[in-house]
Amino acid sequence: MSKPQLLIDTDPGVDDALAILMAHAHADIAGLSIAAGNVGLEHTVRNARTLVDLVGATVSVFGGCPTPLVRAPEEDAAFVHGTDGFGDVGFPEPKVAAADEQAALALLRLTRERPGELTLVALAPLTNVALALRLDPGLPKRVKRLVVMGGAVTGQGNTGKVPAEFNIGFDPEAAHVVFEAFPRFDLVDWEATLRHAFDEAEFDGWLSAGDHRAKFFGQVFRTARSFNVKHRRRGIIAADALAMAVAIDPSIITRSEERHVAVELDGRLTRGATVVDWARRLGHPANARIVLDVDQARFAAMVRRALGAS
């Protein structure tokens, strides 16, 4: 069976790193378009280049927009991921250079060259994807699937604004543009990732049994892991990895709901919240398949392979 063909928009970031290792192990990667988010764009581009070096891949890295579309970001996630986004380990300068092409333009070009072939996996704030849509509204017709890691579908987010999840909250206007433009996408939200956290002792066993990829991930994950322990987050939370599992193999989904999802742009307490029309009161067609549960054993097997532990 042929491998999934993925185009990944990402802001590495610790959990992005695990997701990209999964993509390398299970799929073909057409390109990495890089957004600001977890940390600033200079760091996220460098981190993507470090990952390409690590796995020895021939994948182009395209730097994107360094800011949200409209407002300056209220927060980044350096306090979770480290100042450089990779736990402040201090990796050497990567050998792979970033491409000259801007990320939004690369998204348009690659989907034009391969219409209907590529699954777009959006692991970052949606700035690059929104810019591409504003340049060419025909983008959704050329994308095989869109998988978004973002949102908190019952308002249990992870930002300073209680209902909002980080990726959507970082650039709500971009998320609004994307959710309005795509007639259907898979949404893997923050709450689903909490339900699918891994047992810590089991995950440590994978790191011990793995190869150089596991050693790398164990290094970059230390800062985020300490943050999770301090804030009483139980288990190993792998948000972007869960979205990547859904992108690689949608049959892993065991429970989902089709609903219309929109983004709150104006609320003083709720800006960036994902608003789900659970009761179908608004009469809008469903635009999102909200992933509620996946086969946890299969998800774990995909992660183990990505770490070289199986």
Side-chain angles (χ1 to χ4, degrees):
M1 188 172 63
S2 61
K3 289 184 176 183
Q5 305 296 303
L6 307 180
L7 180 54
I8 304 171
D9 191 70
T10 177
D11 61 334
V14 174
D15 52 337
D16 302 76
L18 182 57
I20 292 167
L21 293 177
M22 290 173 64
H24 178 72
H26 296 276
D28 290 331
I29 305 173
L32 296 172
S33 62
I34 310 302
N38 285 321
V39 288
L41 186 68
E42 180 180 354
H43 289 306
T44 57
V45 169
R46 188 180 192 273
N47 293 345
R49 294 164 55 216
T50 296
L51 285 166
V52 173
D53 272 0
L54 176 74
V55 298
T58 54
V59 178
S60 294
V61 174
F62 305 99
C65 187
T67 64
L69 290 183
V70 178
R71 299 189 192 179
E74 296 182 12
E75 61 181 341
D76 64 14
F79 59 94
V80 178
H81 297 264
T83 302
D84 68 354
F86 268 2
D88 298 317
V89 174
F91 295 108
E93 178 67 19
K95 297 176 182 177
V96 172
D100 291 333
E101 190 175 13
Q102 209 277 345
L105 298 178
L107 292 174
L108 295 177
R109 176 180 58 80
L110 290 166
T111 57
R112 286 170 183 154
E113 291 173 355
R114 303 175 62 181
E117 294 182 20
L118 300 175
T119 293
L120 177 55
V121 191
L123 306 177
L126 289 161
T127 314
N128 290 332
V129 182
L131 283 172
L133 283 163
R134 285 300 192 235
L135 292 169
D136 181 359
L139 174 64
K141 296 178 181 178
R142 301 194 301 274
V143 171
K144 182 177 181 180
R145 292 171 60 215
L146 170 64
V147 179
V148 175
M149 191 283 125
V153 298
T154 66
Q156 301 179 61
N158 62 344
T159 71
K161 289 202 167 42
V162 174
E165 175 274 334
F166 178 81
N167 281 348
I168 307 301
F170 187 88
D171 194 346
E173 282 78 15
H176 168 75
V177 169
V178 174
F179 286 17
E180 289 280 304
F182 275 83
R184 189 175 189 274
F185 55 91
D186 287 336
L187 184 68
V188 181
D189 84 315
W190 171 248
E191 296 166 27
T193 68
L194 296 178
R195 290 193 296 275
H196 292 86
F198 297 115
D199 177 81
E200 294 199 30
E202 185 178 18
F203 193 86
D204 285 338
W206 304 345
L207 293 179
S208 297
D211 57 19
H212 66 288
R213 294 167 292 180
K215 179 181 178 181
F216 169 87
F217 188 75
Q219 289 178 296
V220 301
F221 188 43
R222 287 173 188 156
T223 299
R225 193 167 187 178
S226 296
F227 175 88
N228 288 340
V229 170
K230 182 178 179 181
H231 290 80
R232 298 180 182 180
R233 290 179 178 173
R234 299 179 60 184
I236 303 298
I237 301 165
D240 292 333
L242 182 62
M244 185 59 71
V246 169
I248 292 168
D249 182 5
S251 73
I252 199 172
I253 300 170
T254 58
R255 186 167 66 101
S256 65
E257 294 284 351
E258 304 263 351
R259 293 292 190 279
H260 186 270
V261 182
V263 180
E264 174 59 53
L265 300 180
D266 301 315
R268 180 173 62 88
L269 299 176
T270 58
R271 175 172 160 79
T274 38
V275 181
V276 182
D277 185 9
W278 288 111
R280 300 185 175 92
R281 294 172 180 168
L282 301 179
H284 300 313
N287 60 349
R289 174 169 63 167
I290 301 169
V291 177
L292 298 173
D293 287 303
V294 306
D295 185 321
Q296 186 74 357
R298 289 171 62 188
F299 177 31
M302 295 170 78
V303 172
R304 288 198 306 272
R305 181 176 170 186
L307 296 170
S310 63

